[in-house]
Amino acid sequence: MALDRAALAAELEDMAAADHRLAAKGYSDDPAERLAWRRLTARHGDRLGAIMDEHGWPTADQVGEEAARAAWLIAQHADRQLDVQRRALRLLEQAVEAGLASPRDLAFLRDRTLVNEGLKQIYGTQIAGVQDGSPVPWPCEDPARMDELRAEVGIEPFAVHVARHAPA
């Protein structure tokens, strides 16, 4: 089937907008709100899986920057669909190798997938919690090289990230 770039871009952007509207509900004290978030991310993960089946990874040259970023966000939030995250990771790796996608996005998705697999992350992009008012990353493979690896893919040093997000 031919790729209708405009329709696919609009669909991905609409999914990202819905994601942004409901994201806070994923942390709600209300079980119904948490369930609504899980259902949304599952529906989006299923749809992204179908898009990847049909078109591969939706790169910016195919669907535009905003829609490509939306696809990445949907993959990031497909936490209960590890098969979708793993496939997105493989396709995004290929897109990065071809110069069609962001190494930074790939680093975030790689860390997210590793954490969801119960493994140590590489770049320290996934936060396990807050200790003494500061974000603490999930365990990293090589904490001493974390900032060096972050810099290689265009991610700010962890301390800069923490300082920006620390409570005032």
Side-chain angles (χ1 to χ4, degrees):
M1 180 176 168
L3 175 61
D4 181 342
R5 294 170 193 254
L8 182 56
E11 181 181 7
L12 288 165
E13 291 169 17
D14 287 349
M15 288 192 297
D19 183 287
H20 288 301
R21 281 192 307 273
L22 283 183
K25 293 183 188 262
Y27 302 101
S28 172
D29 291 335
D30 182 348
E33 289 186 349
R34 289 193 312 272
L35 181 59
W37 167 250
R38 285 196 300 272
R39 286 181 174 157
L40 178 80
T41 58
R43 199 167 48 251
H44 288 173
D46 289 345
R47 180 61 185 129
L48 181 61
I51 290 168
M52 291 186 298
D53 287 345
E54 193 169 336
H55 307 292
W57 184 254
T59 59
D61 68 322
Q62 291 175 321
V63 296
E65 282 293 331
E66 189 175 338
R69 184 77 177 172
W72 168 82
L73 178 72
I74 293 160
Q76 274 291 103
H77 289 169
D79 292 319
R80 289 165 199 82
Q81 294 163 291
L82 204 44
D83 58 322
V84 171
Q85 276 188 335
R86 286 176 178 143
R87 195 153 42 110
L89 183 63
R90 285 191 305 272
L91 292 173
L92 188 54
E93 282 174 343
Q94 293 168 3
V96 168
E97 287 170 11
L100 299 172
S102 161
R104 181 183 189 280
D105 288 351
L106 179 60
F108 273 85
L109 186 56
R110 182 177 315 284
D111 273 1
R112 186 80 165 230
T113 304
L114 287 167
V115 166
N116 285 334
E117 291 174 332
L119 302 172
K120 291 181 178 179
Q121 62 179 327
I122 298 168
Y123 303 95
T125 64
Q126 302 304 298
I127 303 301
V130 177
Q131 183 175 17
D132 299 324
S134 294
V136 177
W138 282 98
C140 291
E141 283 185 14
D142 190 352
R145 290 192 59 227
M146 182 176 67
D147 280 338
E148 174 188 338
L149 296 170
R150 289 169 72 98
E152 289 174 7
V153 296
I155 302 172
E156 66 195 0
F158 189 74
V160 172
H161 172 78
V162 168
R164 184 170 344 140
H165 296 285

